[in-house]
Each structure stands twice: as structure tokens, then as C-alpha cells.
């Protein structure tokens, strides 16, 4: 069984998230990307507390693909320091995970 992860990524807005998400799918770095628009982020940057609306991408992929996915997101992103974090998938619907694997890798690895 593959080592599945959800890559949690933030983007400046829905348009940027959509652009990044489409590339990740086209390049088989993820099998599915969910976009949650208009999320409020509160963070400290360069000594200031900031509150900004962002979009969240949840890219469903494998541990094997994460390094390539993260590198590609950094290339496509406008942030100096984008949030890209891997969350392990402990268990899941085997039919869905089989589909995810086939979508990412095709019929063979």
C-alpha cells in the first residue's frame, strides 16, 4: 500500500490556488486537490501581526511525491515562504485510495 499524505498548502487567493492545483493534477503530483476559499489566517510576519484572507489547498498525494510537489508549489507560488505541510493519512476507504494511486501513477508505478 502506498504511503498517502494530504499536503496542506495556503495561497493568496482562490485564483492562485486554482492555478497551483491544476498544475499539480496535470503533472501527476497529486490525484485530487480541494480548495477552501476565504479562510482567515492570523500570523506574525516581519515583526507584525497580520490577518489576511487566503485560500487553502489540500492536495492528496503520496509521501514519494511530496518533495516534487513541494518544489513545484514553491516555483508557482508568489509567497516568499509558502505553507506546505504533509499530513499522514492513517487509514481510508481502500477503493478511494486505490483510485488515488492509479490517478497519480497511472496503471503502473
Amino acid at each position: 500500500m502506498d504511503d498517502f499524505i494530504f499536503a496542506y498548502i495556503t495561497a493568496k487567493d482562490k485564483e492562485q490556488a486554482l492555478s497551483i492545483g491544476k498544475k499539480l493534477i496535470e503533472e501527476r503530483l497529486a490525484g485530487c486537490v480541494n480548495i477552501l476559499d476565504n479562510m482567515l489566517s492570523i500570523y506574525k510576519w516581519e515583526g507584525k501581526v497580520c490577518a489576511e484572507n487566503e485560500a487553502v489547498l489540500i492536495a492528496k498525494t503520496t509521501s514519494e511525491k511530496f518533495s516534487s510537489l513541494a518544489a513545484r508549489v514553491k516555483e508557482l507560488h508568489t509567497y516568499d515562504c509558502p505553507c506546505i505541510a504533509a499530513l499522514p493519512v492513517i487509514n481510508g476507504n481502500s477503493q478511494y485510495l486505490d483510485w488515488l494511486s492509479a490517478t497519480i501513477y497511472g496503471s503502473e508505478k
Side-chain angles (χ1 to χ4, degrees):
M1 181 188 217
D2 292 308
D3 216 6
F4 294 101
I5 62 166
F6 286 0
Y8 180 91
I9 304 159
T10 56
K12 71 176 185 166
D13 56 29
K14 182 180 177 180
E15 290 74 28
Q16 183 178 63
L18 186 59
S19 175
I20 291 171
K22 284 182 177 179
K23 289 286 185 192
L24 297 179
I25 297 298
E26 289 168 359
E27 297 173 17
R28 289 188 173 216
L29 295 172
C32 177
V33 174
N34 301 125
I35 297 174
L36 308 171
D37 192 19
N38 207 29
M39 182 261 313
L40 180 63
S41 293
I42 301 169
Y43 57 94
K44 198 167 195 177
W45 184 253
E46 297 178 347
K48 297 179 191 173
V49 175
C50 303
E52 303 284 340
N53 285 325
E54 295 183 296
V56 174
L57 292 89
I58 301 171
K60 299 162 187 178
T61 190
T62 62
S63 294
E64 180 181 358
K65 294 279 187 170
F66 183 74
S67 293
S68 297
L69 179 144
R72 188 65 171 126
V73 170
K74 286 179 188 178
E75 289 173 6
L76 297 168
H77 216 292
T78 57
Y79 288 176
D80 292 334
C81 182
C83 171
I84 310 165
L87 307 169
V89 174
I90 306 303
N91 207 339
N93 174 359
S94 61
Q95 286 177 296
Y96 178 80
L97 297 177
D98 289 345
W99 169 84
L100 185 59
S101 184
T103 302
I104 295 167
Y105 295 109
S107 59
E108 56 187 59
K109 272 193 172 180

